[in-house]
Amino acid sequence: MRKYDAVIFDLDGVICSTDEYHYLAWKELADSLALPFDRQYNNKLRGVSRLESLNLILALGERQYSDEEKQAMAQKKNDTYRRLLEKMSPADVSDDVLSTLNELKRKYPLAIGSSSRNTKFILSRIGLADFFDAVIDGNDISASKPDPEVFLKAADALSQRPSSCLVVEDAAAGIEAAVRGGFDSAGIGDASRLDGAKYHIERLSDLLGIL
Ligand code: BG6
Ligand code: MG
């Protein structure tokens, strides 16, 4: 008997890597504000929404900003980020990821559950715009990970209960969201060391030994 009826994937850090582009775009903004932002701090922003990420960066300094100023800064960062995303192509999906997705698609409904409002743009850049059965992203939710909303909506879109879905995540906020939503999860990358994840995987193809 199979353990799960569907799989929900985080996008950034699981299907493709956008970390460096997020970092470069936030770094440009942080430098303009003379804030000591580095790659290590950037890791804290994984899975976290754009505005919450900005708040974490602004917390590196003393100054308070109005909501309008924050909106303008988030917009500026996103403009830089979108320009960097233009560089992405299907070559940004590894052979391991692509072959695993194709194999799983033959047996399971598959969804994306991402905090990013750029999800659909990224999926189109990497050639997976029409691949998934459901895509729930930052535009569809009112609370970002670690709130489980994005995964609950993804399960619902696949007509599945949380306990029937496996969530695949690379971020602490995403593993926590899965736990809070009643999902089993597989942690990959940094999340492969997190306690909340039921499975710890090195590469996406390790899922084939679980599912
Ligand atoms: C997540 C990333 O997928 O999306 C976070 O891990 C990012 O780092 C979040 O902040 C929101 O992204 P976007 O594209 O809406 O700015
Ligand atoms: Mg991620």
Side-chain angles (χ1 to χ4, degrees), residues 93-121:
V93 183
S94 71
D95 290 345
D96 185 79
V97 168
L98 195 59
S99 62
T100 305
L101 289 176
N102 282 322
E103 179 75 22
L104 291 178
K105 195 175 165 71
R106 298 198 292 122
K107 300 181 198 153
Y108 299 93
L110 307 179
I112 290 285
S114 168
S115 302
S116 172
R117 290 172 180 261
N118 292 300
T119 293
K120 293 204 169 80
F121 181 63

mmCIF file of all heavy atoms in Angstrom, residues 93-121:
data_model
loop_
_atom_site.group_PDB
_atom_site.id
_atom_site.type_symbol
_atom_site.label_atom_id
_atom_site.label_comp_id
_atom_site.label_asym_id
_atom_site.label_seq_id
_atom_site.Cartn_x
_atom_site.Cartn_y
_atom_site.Cartn_z
ATOM 1 N N VAL A 93 17.102 23.639 -13.875
ATOM 2 C CA VAL A 93 16.519 22.461 -13.213
ATOM 3 C C VAL A 93 17.498 21.310 -13.429
ATOM 4 O O VAL A 93 17.802 20.953 -14.572
ATOM 5 C CB VAL A 93 15.141 22.102 -13.815
ATOM 6 C CG1 VAL A 93 14.530 20.921 -13.075
ATOM 7 C CG2 VAL A 93 14.214 23.308 -13.757
ATOM 8 N N SER A 94 17.976 20.739 -12.337
ATOM 9 C CA SER A 94 18.990 19.686 -12.473
ATOM 10 C C SER A 94 18.378 18.412 -13.076
ATOM 11 O O SER A 94 17.160 18.212 -13.017
ATOM 12 C CB SER A 94 19.596 19.358 -11.107
ATOM 13 O OG SER A 94 18.640 18.664 -10.320
ATOM 14 N N ASP A 95 19.228 17.568 -13.623
ATOM 15 C CA ASP A 95 18.756 16.286 -14.169
ATOM 16 C C ASP A 95 18.074 15.467 -13.087
ATOM 17 O O ASP A 95 17.072 14.798 -13.328
ATOM 18 C CB ASP A 95 19.931 15.476 -14.735
ATOM 19 C CG ASP A 95 20.485 16.125 -16.000
ATOM 20 O OD1 ASP A 95 19.786 16.994 -16.569
ATOM 21 O OD2 ASP A 95 21.615 15.774 -16.390
ATOM 22 N N ASP A 96 18.643 15.523 -11.861
ATOM 23 C CA ASP A 96 18.067 14.754 -10.753
ATOM 24 C C ASP A 96 16.637 15.228 -10.458
ATOM 25 O O ASP A 96 15.730 14.403 -10.285
ATOM 26 C CB ASP A 96 18.948 14.927 -9.503
ATOM 27 C CG ASP A 96 18.479 14.059 -8.351
ATOM 28 O OD1 ASP A 96 18.771 12.851 -8.360
ATOM 29 O OD2 ASP A 96 17.788 14.587 -7.454
ATOM 30 N N VAL A 97 16.450 16.540 -10.431
ATOM 31 C CA VAL A 97 15.110 17.086 -10.144
ATOM 32 C C VAL A 97 14.150 16.736 -11.270
ATOM 33 O O VAL A 97 13.036 16.236 -11.037
ATOM 34 C CB VAL A 97 15.188 18.626 -9.940
ATOM 35 C CG1 VAL A 97 13.789 19.245 -9.929
ATOM 36 C CG2 VAL A 97 15.914 18.945 -8.640
ATOM 37 N N LEU A 98 14.573 16.956 -12.498
ATOM 38 C CA LEU A 98 13.664 16.741 -13.630
ATOM 39 C C LEU A 98 13.255 15.270 -13.757
ATOM 40 O O LEU A 98 12.072 14.959 -13.936
ATOM 41 C CB LEU A 98 14.328 17.229 -14.920
ATOM 42 C CG LEU A 98 13.384 17.405 -16.092
ATOM 43 C CD1 LEU A 98 12.288 18.416 -15.756
ATOM 44 C CD2 LEU A 98 14.133 17.863 -17.332
ATOM 45 N N SER A 99 14.223 14.372 -13.638
ATOM 46 C CA SER A 99 13.867 12.962 -13.798
ATOM 47 C C SER A 99 12.976 12.492 -12.641
ATOM 48 O O SER A 99 12.045 11.712 -12.840
ATOM 49 C CB SER A 99 15.118 12.085 -13.928
ATOM 50 O OG SER A 99 15.879 12.197 -12.760
ATOM 51 N N THR A 100 13.214 13.018 -11.434
ATOM 52 C CA THR A 100 12.376 12.643 -10.288
ATOM 53 C C THR A 100 10.949 13.149 -10.481
ATOM 54 O O THR A 100 9.976 12.419 -10.247
ATOM 55 C CB THR A 100 12.966 13.220 -8.974
ATOM 56 O OG1 THR A 100 14.311 12.777 -8.864
ATOM 57 C CG2 THR A 100 12.176 12.768 -7.767
ATOM 58 N N LEU A 101 10.825 14.409 -10.907
ATOM 59 C CA LEU A 101 9.482 14.965 -11.132
ATOM 60 C C LEU A 101 8.737 14.150 -12.185
ATOM 61 O O LEU A 101 7.551 13.832 -12.018
ATOM 62 C CB LEU A 101 9.572 16.431 -11.582
ATOM 63 C CG LEU A 101 10.004 17.446 -10.516
ATOM 64 C CD1 LEU A 101 10.143 18.844 -11.139
ATOM 65 C CD2 LEU A 101 9.018 17.481 -9.352
ATOM 66 N N ASN A 102 9.422 13.807 -13.265
ATOM 67 C CA ASN A 102 8.756 13.042 -14.335
ATOM 68 C C ASN A 102 8.311 11.664 -13.853
ATOM 69 O O ASN A 102 7.221 11.197 -14.178
ATOM 70 C CB ASN A 102 9.684 12.913 -15.548
ATOM 71 C CG ASN A 102 9.698 14.196 -16.362
ATOM 72 O OD1 ASN A 102 8.662 14.853 -16.513
ATOM 73 N ND2 ASN A 102 10.857 14.569 -16.885
ATOM 74 N N GLU A 103 9.163 11.045 -13.050
ATOM 75 C CA GLU A 103 8.835 9.722 -12.509
ATOM 76 C C GLU A 103 7.625 9.805 -11.561
ATOM 77 O O GLU A 103 6.694 9.007 -11.649
ATOM 78 C CB GLU A 103 10.081 9.196 -11.763
ATOM 79 C CG GLU A 103 9.943 7.855 -11.104
ATOM 80 C CD GLU A 103 9.965 6.694 -12.101
ATOM 81 O OE1 GLU A 103 10.484 6.895 -13.207
ATOM 82 O OE2 GLU A 103 9.440 5.618 -11.740
ATOM 83 N N LEU A 104 7.637 10.790 -10.676
ATOM 84 C CA LEU A 104 6.541 10.929 -9.700
ATOM 85 C C LEU A 104 5.236 11.317 -10.375
ATOM 86 O O LEU A 104 4.157 10.894 -9.957
ATOM 87 C CB LEU A 104 6.906 11.976 -8.637
ATOM 88 C CG LEU A 104 8.037 11.589 -7.678
ATOM 89 C CD1 LEU A 104 8.341 12.735 -6.717
ATOM 90 C CD2 LEU A 104 7.672 10.333 -6.884
ATOM 91 N N LYS A 105 5.338 12.085 -11.446
ATOM 92 C CA LYS A 105 4.124 12.558 -12.129
ATOM 93 C C LYS A 105 3.315 11.398 -12.712
ATOM 94 O O LYS A 105 2.104 11.491 -12.872
ATOM 95 C CB LYS A 105 4.520 13.545 -13.236
ATOM 96 C CG LYS A 105 3.358 14.369 -13.780
ATOM 97 C CD LYS A 105 3.889 15.380 -14.773
ATOM 98 C CE LYS A 105 2.805 15.987 -15.623
ATOM 99 N NZ LYS A 105 1.930 16.900 -14.911
ATOM 100 N N ARG A 106 3.985 10.295 -12.994
ATOM 101 C CA ARG A 106 3.270 9.134 -13.546
ATOM 102 C C ARG A 106 2.368 8.484 -12.491
ATOM 103 O O ARG A 106 1.448 7.769 -12.806
ATOM 104 C CB ARG A 106 4.281 8.108 -14.074
ATOM 105 C CG ARG A 106 5.134 8.673 -15.225
ATOM 106 C CD ARG A 106 5.809 7.597 -16.038
ATOM 107 N NE ARG A 106 6.834 6.913 -15.269
ATOM 108 C CZ ARG A 106 6.864 5.620 -15.041
ATOM 109 N NH1 ARG A 106 5.920 4.827 -15.516
ATOM 110 N NH2 ARG A 106 7.839 5.085 -14.339
ATOM 111 N N LYS A 107 2.662 8.746 -11.185
ATOM 112 C CA LYS A 107 1.939 8.043 -10.116
ATOM 113 C C LYS A 107 1.146 8.941 -9.177
ATOM 114 O O LYS A 107 0.237 8.458 -8.504
ATOM 115 C CB LYS A 107 2.952 7.276 -9.251
ATOM 116 C CG LYS A 107 3.758 6.251 -10.007
ATOM 117 C CD LYS A 107 4.694 5.548 -9.029
ATOM 118 C CE LYS A 107 5.807 4.854 -9.774
ATOM 119 N NZ LYS A 107 7.020 4.712 -8.996
ATOM 120 N N TYR A 108 1.517 10.202 -9.078
ATOM 121 C CA TYR A 108 0.906 11.066 -8.058
ATOM 122 C C TYR A 108 0.492 12.414 -8.647
ATOM 123 O O TYR A 108 1.197 12.940 -9.512
ATOM 124 C CB TYR A 108 1.922 11.401 -6.945
ATOM 125 C CG TYR A 108 2.444 10.212 -6.196
ATOM 126 C CD1 TYR A 108 3.631 9.589 -6.594
ATOM 127 C CD2 TYR A 108 1.772 9.723 -5.077
ATOM 128 C CE1 TYR A 108 4.135 8.497 -5.902
ATOM 129 C CE2 TYR A 108 2.272 8.634 -4.384
ATOM 130 C CZ TYR A 108 3.451 8.021 -4.793
ATOM 131 O OH TYR A 108 3.935 6.952 -4.102
ATOM 132 N N PRO A 109 -0.595 13.015 -8.097
ATOM 133 C CA PRO A 109 -0.806 14.431 -8.388
ATOM 134 C C PRO A 109 0.279 15.245 -7.665
ATOM 135 O O PRO A 109 0.635 14.918 -6.519
ATOM 136 C CB PRO A 109 -2.199 14.721 -7.818
ATOM 137 C CG PRO A 109 -2.570 13.575 -6.973
ATOM 138 C CD PRO A 109 -1.640 12.426 -7.264
ATOM 139 N N LEU A 110 0.773 16.269 -8.327
ATOM 140 C CA LEU A 110 1.876 17.058 -7.770
ATOM 141 C C LEU A 110 1.489 18.532 -7.704
ATOM 142 O O LEU A 110 0.874 19.055 -8.646
ATOM 143 C CB LEU A 110 3.130 16.930 -8.659
ATOM 144 C CG LEU A 110 3.628 15.520 -8.990
ATOM 145 C CD1 LEU A 110 4.857 15.601 -9.893
ATOM 146 C CD2 LEU A 110 3.949 14.732 -7.716
ATOM 147 N N ALA A 111 1.866 19.180 -6.597
ATOM 148 C CA ALA A 111 1.563 20.614 -6.459
ATOM 149 C C ALA A 111 2.800 21.380 -6.009
ATOM 150 O O ALA A 111 3.739 20.807 -5.457
ATOM 151 C CB ALA A 111 0.443 20.822 -5.440
ATOM 152 N N ILE A 112 2.762 22.688 -6.256
ATOM 153 C CA ILE A 112 3.747 23.614 -5.691
ATOM 154 C C ILE A 112 3.060 24.383 -4.575
ATOM 155 O O ILE A 112 1.918 24.829 -4.720
ATOM 156 C CB ILE A 112 4.237 24.618 -6.766
ATOM 157 C CG1 ILE A 112 5.101 23.939 -7.827
ATOM 158 C CG2 ILE A 112 4.983 25.791 -6.132
ATOM 159 C CD1 ILE A 112 6.507 23.580 -7.394
ATOM 160 N N GLY A 113 3.767 24.540 -3.438
ATOM 161 C CA GLY A 113 3.296 25.381 -2.334
ATOM 162 C C GLY A 113 4.434 26.310 -1.949
ATOM 163 O O GLY A 113 5.334 25.914 -1.230
ATOM 164 N N SER A 114 4.404 27.540 -2.480
ATOM 165 C CA SER A 114 5.530 28.464 -2.297
ATOM 166 C C SER A 114 5.064 29.806 -1.757
ATOM 167 O O SER A 114 3.991 30.289 -2.118
ATOM 168 C CB SER A 114 6.227 28.690 -3.648
ATOM 169 O OG SER A 114 7.127 29.776 -3.565
ATOM 170 N N SER A 115 5.898 30.435 -0.919
ATOM 171 C CA SER A 115 5.596 31.782 -0.410
ATOM 172 C C SER A 115 5.826 32.854 -1.457
ATOM 173 O O SER A 115 5.436 34.004 -1.262
ATOM 174 C CB SER A 115 6.512 32.124 0.774
ATOM 175 O OG SER A 115 6.390 31.205 1.802
ATOM 176 N N SER A 116 6.495 32.499 -2.545
ATOM 177 C CA SER A 116 6.922 33.527 -3.508
ATOM 178 C C SER A 116 5.784 33.990 -4.413
ATOM 179 O O SER A 116 5.069 33.191 -5.005
ATOM 180 C CB SER A 116 8.050 32.976 -4.377
ATOM 181 O OG SER A 116 8.330 33.892 -5.406
ATOM 182 N N ARG A 117 5.694 35.308 -4.545
ATOM 183 C CA ARG A 117 4.733 35.883 -5.490
ATOM 184 C C ARG A 117 5.259 35.793 -6.918
ATOM 185 O O ARG A 117 4.554 36.131 -7.867
ATOM 186 C CB ARG A 117 4.466 37.349 -5.143
ATOM 187 C CG ARG A 117 3.687 37.517 -3.858
ATOM 188 C CD ARG A 117 3.618 38.978 -3.453
ATOM 189 N NE ARG A 117 2.882 39.117 -2.226
ATOM 190 C CZ ARG A 117 1.588 39.484 -2.165
ATOM 191 N NH1 ARG A 117 0.923 39.761 -3.249
ATOM 192 N NH2 ARG A 117 0.996 39.585 -0.999
ATOM 193 N N ASN A 118 6.516 35.390 -7.057
ATOM 194 C CA ASN A 118 7.113 35.240 -8.392
ATOM 195 C C ASN A 118 7.067 33.795 -8.888
ATOM 196 O O ASN A 118 7.714 33.458 -9.883
ATOM 197 C CB ASN A 118 8.569 35.724 -8.357
ATOM 198 C CG ASN A 118 8.658 37.228 -8.150
ATOM 199 O OD1 ASN A 118 8.152 38.002 -8.962
ATOM 200 N ND2 ASN A 118 9.271 37.644 -7.059
ATOM 201 N N THR A 119 6.339 32.948 -8.178
ATOM 202 C CA THR A 119 6.337 31.515 -8.492
ATOM 203 C C THR A 119 6.026 31.234 -9.969
ATOM 204 O O THR A 119 6.755 30.485 -10.639
ATOM 205 C CB THR A 119 5.309 30.781 -7.594
ATOM 206 O OG1 THR A 119 5.779 30.849 -6.254
ATOM 207 C CG2 THR A 119 5.157 29.329 -7.989
ATOM 208 N N LYS A 120 4.953 31.828 -10.472
ATOM 209 C CA LYS A 120 4.541 31.491 -11.843
ATOM 210 C C LYS A 120 5.571 31.977 -12.853
ATOM 211 O O LYS A 120 5.832 31.312 -13.865
ATOM 212 C CB LYS A 120 3.154 32.056 -12.135
ATOM 213 C CG LYS A 120 2.090 31.351 -11.289
ATOM 214 C CD LYS A 120 0.707 31.414 -11.901
ATOM 215 C CE LYS A 120 -0.250 30.479 -11.187
ATOM 216 N NZ LYS A 120 -0.797 30.985 -9.936
ATOM 217 N N PHE A 121 6.191 33.123 -12.565
ATOM 218 C CA PHE A 121 7.232 33.632 -13.454
ATOM 219 C C PHE A 121 8.436 32.679 -13.461
ATOM 220 O O PHE A 121 8.972 32.322 -14.515
ATOM 221 C CB PHE A 121 7.660 35.036 -13.008
ATOM 222 C CG PHE A 121 8.715 35.663 -13.869
ATOM 223 C CD1 PHE A 121 8.465 35.934 -15.209
ATOM 224 C CD2 PHE A 121 9.956 35.984 -13.350
ATOM 225 C CE1 PHE A 121 9.446 36.504 -16.017
ATOM 226 C CE2 PHE A 121 10.942 36.561 -14.141
ATOM 227 C CZ PHE A 121 10.681 36.818 -15.476
#
